[in-house]
Amino acid sequence: MERIDGIGALFYYLFGESFRRAVVAMYAFDARAAATAPATRDELAEHVMNRIGDEPLLHQRLAPTPLKLDNPAWVADTIKPGRDRVTSRTVQGAGTWADTIATLEAIAAEPDAGEVPLEVILLEGVNAMPELPQGSIVIVLRTDHAAMDGTARAAIERKLFSSQPQDWRAQEPVAQYRARRSLLPQPILLSALAGLVPRLATTVQLVRQANRIVDPAAGLEAEAGATEPSAPVEPSAPVEPRPEQAPVRTSIDTDPDEPQRVHEFLTVPLATVAAARRAVAGATVNDVVVAAVTTALRAYLVENGELPDEPLQCFIPIAVPAAAGRTAGNNITRGTIPLWTTASDPIECLRLTHRTTSEVKNNVGTGRQFLLEQAALTMFAPLAARQHRKDTKEGRSANVAITNTFRGKHPLYLGDAPAVRTQIVSRLNRGAPLTHQVTNLNDELMVSISAGASSLPDPRRYRQLLHDAFTELAKSREAPSDDAGTVTVS
């Protein structure tokens, strides 16, 4: 019987109620000049089945293993499979942008949200000018994070939407989905019992593989210990907080499960991001995003008179190698990096961000952390989820979360209507009240900001500061210096 991976099982047990695992991704399509875009629920259902009707995620759901003896298993969905996964909602109120966001929040909070891995929803009654063009067609994908990460969702997007305008009615239907015999709910417990010994063997094998990999940090320590002691060296950067320490707290660190949320949205030309990358050799798009968030947070905290003396901490999911085009699974591992709010200059902040983020990703890139993580989650996903909840309650978590999912350079079309905006709304905030969901569309970077109402009482001001941070980074140039490692902090 096929079961979800360890990271997915961690999410499944960590969040409990299914709606807490739901991720709502909105796609707005400009239909003003469109002639062949599906605009009704029935037309959308036909379009979905023609393009991804063979996708197992439309015909399966997750079922827990009794006594939590194994990870949840994929079973045949007899409640609402296939075409029944395509539904519609009417936007609340007058259909304004605020009403649209409130409706997306409501979709994410519906009691059955996340009960199935993939749903397609047509949002009707949207009248959100100037944020969206008049008459926009708004499609929502509601996914279960236990079943798929952002990369898998992006693969679903590319299958559901086209990269060129086309007549959806002329789409050649995909082959009919055929369920496998193993997708029956009855043998879940029996297969879990039969799999205990193989799972234990897998756990031992993963640990052995991990132990054969040299930890880069340990290697550096050993190398340093083999040399003669040298004179003390003045540190070139603020001291990074030790991983076992709780992050410093500010007013943004409220209850991550605060029911009232605020949302903001920001677009940044990719040309601006590219200009910022050139300021520091080797800097990536992710580095620029993190540095911009750090710079904005620093300004926000300064304005509120509470800039801490230590860097904040940021949670980032780190992708690990996976099969290309996969539409399910969570091929990610955890990562926590410092947000150098102690650096007064944006370029110094970007330089420090690039250095420390590279170190974290290089360590993950060896595979050791991921293997050990998979070993633990193969046998003990429920216990790991319980420990994570305990750690979060005790405050050992990040101040901020940044999630990057880049969908490539190709545009998205629904029939012949081009996508002009995407936004993410989710309740996956446990451990980080302020989150940034980052993606790209056409020639723009899009940032969805979500926070507890008390942690970000002035979201528009924060949005403006984040916009200014990207602009400032793009205009900056790294000054030549005899000592490039020297950093000015305040």
Side-chain angles (χ1 to χ4, degrees), residues 39-272:
T40 67
R41 186 261 179 194
D42 288 339
E43 289 179 348
L44 180 62
E46 190 72 22
H47 170 76
V48 169
M49 297 310 295
N50 280 349
R51 292 192 66 90
I52 62 171
D54 61 341
E55 176 57 56
L57 292 171
L58 283 177
H59 304 273
Q60 302 175 8
R61 65 170 56 221
L62 290 173
T65 299
L67 306 178
K68 298 181 180 179
L69 291 177
D70 202 344
N71 294 347
W74 288 110
V75 299
D77 183 8
T78 59
I79 301 173
K80 53 176 184 180
R83 186 182 297 269
D84 292 336
R85 298 281 187 87
V86 184
T87 58
S88 63
R89 306 285 191 280
T90 300
V91 71
Q92 301 173 0
T96 65
W97 180 244
D99 293 332
T100 301
I101 291 296
T103 304
L104 294 175
E105 280 193 305
I107 291 173
E110 289 176 353
D112 65 344
E115 283 191 357
V116 294
L118 173 62
E119 295 175 271
V120 183
I121 302 169
L122 174 66
L123 193 57
E124 300 176 315
V126 177
N127 185 27
M129 296 178 292
E131 288 86 355
L132 301 179
Q134 185 174 13
S136 293
I137 299 174
V138 178
I139 307 297
V140 173
L141 294 188
R142 186 166 68 180
T143 59
D144 178 3
H145 205 336
M148 68 174 75
D149 56 21
T151 300
R153 187 181 66 245
I156 287 287
E157 291 174 9
R158 289 190 290 271
K159 291 180 66 177
L160 178 59
F161 307 124
S162 58
S163 59
Q164 298 179 5
Q166 58 182 232
D167 186 345
W168 69 274
R169 296 164 298 188
Q171 168 72 35
E172 187 73 21
V174 296
Q176 187 175 1
Y177 174 77
R178 295 184 180 278
R180 290 169 292 180
R181 260 200 234 173
S182 59
L183 299 177
L184 297 174
Q186 293 83 356
I188 292 178
L189 179 58
L190 293 177
S191 66
L193 291 172
L196 282 175
V197 172
R199 286 168 58 212
L200 180 59
T202 298
T203 299
V204 172
Q205 182 182 19
L206 288 169
V207 171
R208 287 176 176 172
Q209 290 177 4
N211 288 337
R212 285 197 291 267
I213 298 174
V214 177
D215 188 333
L220 291 175
E221 291 174 2
E223 183 179 346
T227 61
E228 291 295 327
S230 57
V233 177
E234 192 70 23
S236 62
V239 177
E240 181 179 342
R242 295 192 305 272
E244 66 271 13
Q245 287 182 322
V248 63
R249 294 299 173 189
T250 70
S251 62
I252 66 172
D253 297 291
T254 58
D255 182 2
D257 283 332
E258 182 179 4
Q260 186 175 357
R261 310 289 299 169
V262 293
H263 302 275
E264 269 297 339
F265 183 80
L266 177 72
T267 60
V268 181
L270 287 176
T272 298

Side-chain angles (χ1 to χ4, degrees), residues 146-464:
M148 68 174 75
D149 56 21
T151 300
R153 187 181 66 245
I156 287 287
E157 291 174 9
R158 289 190 290 271
K159 291 180 66 177
L160 178 59
F161 307 124
S162 58
S163 59
Q164 298 179 5
Q166 58 182 232
D167 186 345
W168 69 274
R169 296 164 298 188
Q171 168 72 35
E172 187 73 21
V174 296
Q176 187 175 1
Y177 174 77
R178 295 184 180 278
R180 290 169 292 180
R181 260 200 234 173
S182 59
L183 299 177
L184 297 174
Q186 293 83 356
I188 292 178
L189 179 58
L190 293 177
S191 66
L193 291 172
L196 282 175
V197 172
R199 286 168 58 212
L200 180 59
T202 298
T203 299
V204 172
Q205 182 182 19
L206 288 169
V207 171
R208 287 176 176 172
Q209 290 177 4
N211 288 337
R212 285 197 291 267
I213 298 174
V214 177
D215 188 333
L220 291 175
E221 291 174 2
E223 183 179 346
T227 61
E228 291 295 327
S230 57
V233 177
E234 192 70 23
S236 62
V239 177
E240 181 179 342
R242 295 192 305 272
E244 66 271 13
Q245 287 182 322
V248 63
R249 294 299 173 189
T250 70
S251 62
I252 66 172
D253 297 291
T254 58
D255 182 2
D257 283 332
E258 182 179 4
Q260 186 175 357
R261 310 289 299 169
V262 293
H263 302 275
E264 269 297 339
F265 183 80
L266 177 72
T267 60
V268 181
L270 287 176
T272 298
V273 179
R277 287 182 61 189
R278 291 192 289 270
V280 172
T284 65
V285 171
N286 288 342
D287 294 335
V288 172
V289 171
V290 174
V293 168
T294 305
T295 302
L297 274 174
R298 174 188 167 86
Y300 191 83
L301 294 172
V302 166
E303 288 183 358
N304 287 276
E306 56 172 337
L307 180 67
D309 295 329
E310 298 180 32
L312 302 184
Q313 287 194 42
C314 176
F315 169 78
I316 57 169
I318 301 174
V320 295
R326 65 180 176 86
T327 56
N330 284 274
N331 285 69
I332 55 176
T333 186
R334 56 180 165 71
T336 303
I337 59 173
L339 292 181
W340 295 107
T341 48
T342 48
S344 59
D345 180 73
I347 293 303
E348 292 169 350
C349 176
L350 178 57
R351 187 186 304 118
L352 287 167
T353 297
H354 171 60
R355 189 195 72 189
T356 52
T357 303
S358 296
E359 290 172 355
V360 171
K361 290 187 175 181
N362 286 340
N363 288 341
V364 171
T366 66
R368 189 172 191 274
Q369 173 181 311
F370 183 68
L371 289 171
L372 290 174
E373 194 171 63
Q374 287 297 315
L377 295 178
T378 296
M379 291 296 295
F380 308 113
L383 291 178
R386 181 178 178 182
Q387 183 62 43
H388 185 86
R389 282 195 297 269
K390 179 182 177 182
D391 289 349
T392 301
K393 186 176 181 180
E394 293 177 356
R396 294 195 296 272
S397 56
N399 307 93
V400 175
I402 301 176
T403 302
N404 297 332
T405 303
F406 297 109
R407 57 170 56 91
K409 298 180 180 179
H410 298 295
L412 297 178
Y413 284 89
L414 178 68
D416 61 344
V420 293
R421 185 161 180 171
T422 69
Q423 182 147 351
I424 307 294
V425 172
S426 79
R427 301 174 67 88
L428 296 173
N429 272 327
R430 198 179 295 272
L434 175 57
T435 65
H436 309 74
Q437 302 268 1
V438 184
T439 187
N440 72 296
L441 181 64
N442 303 325
D443 58 353
E444 290 184 312
L445 190 78
M446 298 190 170
V447 185
S448 303
I449 304 166
S450 175
S454 61
S455 67
L456 199 64
D458 194 353
R460 288 190 177 182
R461 177 56 180 162
Y462 178 69
R463 176 191 179 280
Q464 182 61 50

